[in-house]
C-alpha cells in the first residue's frame, strides 16, 4: 500500500536523486558503499569544503557534481533528497535548510547539539511534509531485529535488565571529534545509538539517566551510562573510544538471557535461565565460534547501513513510514544531554518529557521540555525502589574520577 508523506506530499516515482553534504570518512567508507547497493538512488551532487577530500570523493562517484559549498548543492533543482553527513555542529542548520526546500532528509546522529536546535529540526520536518529519518542504522541489523522479536514474543520472560557495550578502537580523530562541544566524545558519538536501541528494543522510553564520563586519550572517550526506563527496567551502557572495538547487547529476562555481539556472532545467543544441558550449551558455542565467516568477513561490512538506506528509499516512495524518524533522534539527544548533566552534577537527571509512541514506532505526540535534574523521590516508584541511583549509593560517583 502506498502512503503519502506526513504533510500530504505524494509518493516519489523514478530514481531518487540524492545530494550528499559532507564527504568525510563515514560518507566514503560507509554510506557510499551502501548506496551503491541500493538501486533506488542516483547520487547527483556532493558538497565538501576540504579540497583534497572533494577531489577524492569526486573520483569515487562518477557523474556526480562536486561542490565546495553546501548551499550551492541545496539550491540545485535536480535533487529529491539530501544526506547530511557533516560534523554534528552543522546537522541542524543543514537539515532545516533542506526541509525549507522540501527535500527528503537522511540526517546522521546526533541530529543537533542542543534540544532547542533539535526541536527546530523536528518543526521544519513536520512543516515540509517530507521524509525525515535519523541515521540509527543499527535498528536494521538482523541480530538486533531478531533480539527485538524475542523480547516482543515474551521468550525471555519478564525483562530484568539490559547491558550494552559499544567501543571504537583508538585512531586518529578529526579536530571536531576531539571536543564534546563540537559533537565529539563517545557520549555524543556512540551513546545515541544505544539510547535509541534500548528504548526501541523494550518498547519503553527513558525516564531517568545517571552517568560517569571520563577522558583517557581524548576528551570524553569513556562513558558509563545508566538508563532508567519508564517500564522500571534499568540498562547499563558502556561506551569507549580508547579500547578495542566492541558492540554487545545483552537482555536479561526471568526465563532466558539473549546476547548479541555484532562483531563475532551470526545469530542471537539464547541461554535459558534453567539450563539443563550446560555442557552441550558450551559445546554448541565452541562449534559456532569456528564458523569461518566470523573471521573472514571484513569488519567494515555492516549490513545495517544498506538496510537503513533501503528503508529511507521505501519511505520516500511511500511504501512505509520513516522510522526511525527525527523525533527518535531528538529523544536520543535528550538522553545524551541528560547523561552529560548527570556526569557533571554527580546526580540522577530525569527526562522531563518523552514521546509516547505507537507499537510501530510512530510518535503519538510531541513534547519539547528539556531534561532537568529531579529528586530521587520523583523517579518512577518501581525504578527507585529497586535500583538505588548513583547519587545515593556510597562511592559510585567517584568510579571514574
Amino acid at each position: 500500500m502506498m502512503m503519502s508523506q506526513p504533510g500530504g506530499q505524494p509518493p516519489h516515482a523514478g530514481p531518487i536523486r540524492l545530494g550528499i553534504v559532507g564527504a568525510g570518512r563515514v560518507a566514503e567508507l560507509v554510506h557510499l558503499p551502501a548506496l551503491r547497493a541500493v538501486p533506488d538512488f542516483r547520487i547527483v551532487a556532493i558538497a565538501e569544503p576540504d579540497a583534497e577530500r572533494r577531489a577524492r570523493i569526486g573520483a569515487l562517484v562518477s557523474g556526480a557534481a562536486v561542490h565546495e559549498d553546501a548551499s550551492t548543492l541545496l539550491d540545485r533543482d535536480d535533487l529529491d533528497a539530501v544526506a547530511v553527513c557533516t560534523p554534528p555542529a552543522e546537522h541542524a542548520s543543514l537539515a532545516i535548510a533542506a526541509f525549507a526546500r522540501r527535500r527528503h532528509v537522511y540526517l546522521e546522529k546526533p541530529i543537533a547539539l542542543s534540544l532547542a536546535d533539535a526541536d527546530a529540526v523536528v518543526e521544519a520536518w513536520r512543516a515540509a511534509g517530507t521524509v525525515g529519518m535519523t541515521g540509527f542504522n543499527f535498528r536494521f541489523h538482523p541480530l538486533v531485529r531478531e533480539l527485538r522479536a524475542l523480547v516482543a514474543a515474551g521468550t525471555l520472560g519478564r525483562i530484568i535488565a539490559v547491558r550494552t557495550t559499544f567501543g571504537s578502537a583508538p585512531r586518529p580523530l578529526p579536530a571536531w571529534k576531539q571536543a564534546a562541544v563540537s559533537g565529539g566524545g563517545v557520549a555524543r558519538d556512540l551513546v545515541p545509538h544505544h539510547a535509541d536501541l534500548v528504548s526501541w528494543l523494550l518498547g519503553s522510553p527513558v525516564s531517568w539517566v545517571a552517568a560517569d564520563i571520563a577522558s583517557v586519550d581524548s576528551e570524553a572517550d569513556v562513558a558509563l551510562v545508566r538508563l532508567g526506563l519508564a517500564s522500571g527496567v534499568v540498562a547499563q551502557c558502556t561506551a569507549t573510544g580508547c579500547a578495542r572495538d566492541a558492540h554487545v547487547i545483552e537482555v536479561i529476562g526471568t526465563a532466558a538471557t539473549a546476547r548479541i555481539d555484532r562483531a563475532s556472532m551470526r545469530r542471537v545467543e539464547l541461554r535459558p535461565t534453567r539450563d539443563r544441558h550446560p555442557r552441550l550449551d558450551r559445546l554448541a558455542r565452541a562449534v559456532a565460534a569456528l564458523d569461518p565467516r566470523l573471521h573472514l568477513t571484513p569488519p567494515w561490512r555492516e549490513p545495517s547501513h544498506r538496510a537503513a538506506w533501503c528503508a529511507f528509499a521505501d519511505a520516500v516512495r511511500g511504501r512505509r513510514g520513516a522510522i526511525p524518524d527525527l523525533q527518535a533522534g531528538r529523544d536520543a539527544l535528550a538522553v545524551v544531554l541528560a547523561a552529560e548533566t548527570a556526569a557533571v552534577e554527580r546526580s540522577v537527571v530525569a527526562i522531563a518529557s518523552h514521546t509516547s509512541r505507537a507499537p510501530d514506532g510512530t510518535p503519538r505526540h510531541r513534547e519539547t521540555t528539556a531534561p532537568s535534574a529531579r529528586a530521587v523521590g520523583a523517579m518512577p516508584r518501581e525504578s527507585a525502589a529497586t535500583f538505588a541511583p548513583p547519587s545515593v549509593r556510597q562511592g559510585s560517583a567517584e568510579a571514574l574520577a
Side-chain angles (χ1 to χ4, degrees):
M1 185 178 82
M2 302 298 283
M3 302 166 58
S4 63
Q5 307 302 340
Q9 192 175 80
H12 183 85
I16 300 171
R17 300 168 299 176
L18 180 68
I20 300 176
V21 183
R25 180 175 178 270
V26 171
E28 179 183 347
L29 299 181
V30 173
H31 291 304
L32 285 183
L35 284 164
R36 290 191 191 103
V38 184
D40 297 81
F41 293 100
R42 180 163 64 89
I43 301 174
V44 299
I46 299 171
E48 168 56 47
D50 183 85
E52 184 177 341
R53 293 214 63 87
R54 200 161 59 243
R56 179 183 179 87
I57 211 76
L60 293 174
V61 185
S62 61
V66 181
H67 303 288
E68 179 179 0
D69 185 61
S71 61
T72 305
L73 179 146
L74 293 174
D75 285 337
R76 294 177 64 102
D77 59 8
D78 59 348
L79 288 183
D80 303 306
V82 174
V84 178
C85 307
T86 62
E90 303 171 39
H91 285 183
S93 60
L94 289 170
I96 291 169
F99 284 128
R101 294 162 174 82
R102 297 184 65 79
R103 312 296 192 204
H104 305 289
V105 176
Y106 186 97
L107 181 57
E108 270 293 357
K109 52 78 205 163
I111 68 167
L113 294 182
S114 71
L115 281 182
D117 285 347
D119 287 331
V121 170
V122 172
E123 184 177 352
W125 159 54
R126 296 189 186 282
T130 57
V131 170
M133 190 165 164
T134 303
F136 287 143
N137 55 286
F138 294 121
R139 282 201 196 188
F140 299 95
H141 195 287
L143 290 176
V144 174
R145 297 227 151 201
E146 185 181 348
L147 178 58
R148 187 171 188 249
L150 290 171
V151 172
T155 304
L156 308 184
R158 179 183 175 184
I159 305 303
I160 299 171
V162 178
R163 295 187 296 196
T164 79
T165 301
F166 199 175
S168 179
R171 59 178 176 80
L173 297 175
W176 71 264
K177 275 205 169 188
Q178 298 178 40
V181 69
S182 54
V186 294
R188 298 197 178 199
D189 191 27
L190 303 183
V191 170
H193 276 299
H194 279 203
D196 175 71
L197 281 181
V198 167
S199 181
W200 183 70
L201 283 169
L202 273 59
S204 179
V206 177
S207 60
W208 60 265
V209 182
D212 287 297
I213 298 175
S215 301
V216 178
D217 292 337
S218 60
E219 185 178 350
D221 57 0
V222 177
L224 305 181
V225 182
R226 296 177 69 216
L227 307 176
L229 304 187
S231 63
V233 175
V234 175
Q236 172 69 55
C237 303
T238 301
T240 62
C242 55
R244 62 174 297 174
D245 286 325
H247 198 166
V248 178
I249 301 174
E250 185 176 43
V251 181
I252 303 167
T254 55
T257 294
R259 181 177 180 273
I260 63 173
D261 185 333
R262 190 170 61 88
S264 62
M265 284 184 181
R266 300 189 73 86
R267 65 179 184 220
V268 176
E269 180 184 82
L270 185 63
R271 306 188 69 181
T273 299
R274 293 178 176 83
D275 192 348
R276 298 180 180 178
H277 306 285
R279 292 183 180 179
L280 289 177
D281 178 63
R282 289 196 295 269
L283 178 61
R285 282 185 283 133
V287 171
L290 298 176
D291 187 341
R293 293 173 296 180
L294 298 177
H295 310 287
L296 299 178
T297 302
W300 58 85
R301 189 170 294 169
E302 167 57 57
S304 64
H305 290 290
R306 178 184 178 277
W309 278 110
C310 286
F312 182 68
D314 284 345
V316 171
R317 296 196 186 285
R319 297 171 184 158
R320 53 157 282 169
I323 299 171
D325 60 22
L326 295 179
Q327 183 66 45
R330 187 268 180 205
D331 293 346
L333 177 64
V335 172
V336 168
L337 296 179
E340 292 179 343
T341 300
V344 171
E345 296 181 353
R346 298 298 199 212
S347 65
V348 173
V349 174
I351 306 297
S353 73
H354 57 260
T355 300
S356 173
R357 292 178 177 270
D360 65 354
T362 305
R364 290 196 177 105
H365 68 274
R366 182 170 69 94
E367 298 177 356
T368 56
T369 308
S372 61
R374 190 166 65 181
V376 173
M379 288 166 49
R381 187 180 186 88
E382 61 272 25
S383 298
T386 306
F387 301 97
S391 58
V392 298
R393 183 174 294 171
Q394 190 67 29
S396 64
E398 289 75 37
L400 283 180

